[in-house]
């Protein structure tokens, strides 16, 4: 029997701006939704300005569940829409 760990696939995008990277980093940490992690935050600076803008992408990292099956194909078929299989183990 195989056991797989699955996780819901969900992302949130938020834009923040500030005067310098330390302020932008602080705002990114404050805006992070519960159960999510920052995965991408490219920054831009407009010409002639000191303001920095970051478009942050946060991904859900909580809510793990387990499913079981006899084969890998069975496990893949059992993964609900909007979820992803992270790994599987042989019991």
């Amino acid at each position: 029997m195989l056991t797989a760990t699955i996780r819901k696939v969900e992302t949130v995008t938020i834009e923040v701006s500030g005067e310098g990277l330390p302020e932008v980093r602080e705002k990114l940490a404050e805006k992070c939704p519960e159960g999510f992690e920052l995965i991408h935050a490219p920054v831009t600076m407009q010409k002639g300005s000191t303001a920095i803008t970051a478009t942050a992408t946060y991904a859900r990292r909580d809510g793990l569940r387990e499913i079981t099956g006899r084969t890998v194909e069975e496990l893949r078929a059992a993964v609900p829409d909007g979820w992803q299989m992270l790994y599987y183990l042989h019991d």
Side-chain angles (χ1 to χ4, degrees):
M1 185 65 79
L2 299 172
T3 302
T5 299
I6 61 174
R7 173 177 64 206
K8 188 168 182 71
V9 176
E10 184 178 356
T11 60
V12 175
T13 303
I14 299 173
E15 190 169 296
V16 300
S17 58
E19 294 293 323
L21 284 175
E23 184 179 344
V24 169
R25 283 189 187 122
E26 184 178 311
K27 288 182 178 182
L28 290 172
E30 289 172 1
K31 299 283 186 179
C32 185
E34 189 173 328
F36 286 72
E37 285 184 14
L38 179 64
I39 60 168
H40 190 64
V43 296
T44 58
M45 180 184 276
Q46 291 187 357
K47 192 173 186 176
S49 172
T50 59
I52 296 173
T53 302
T55 304
T57 303
Y58 301 92
R60 179 167 292 284
R61 294 297 188 236
D62 65 353
L64 299 178
R65 287 186 9 199
E66 287 189 348
I67 57 173
T68 58
R70 289 186 295 269
T71 65
V72 175
E73 291 76 23
E74 223 177 87
L75 289 175
R76 287 187 180 128
V79 176
D81 287 341
W83 289 71
Q84 71 182 105
M85 185 176 5
L86 300 176
Y87 60 88
Y88 62 91
L89 301 170
H90 190 325
D91 291 338

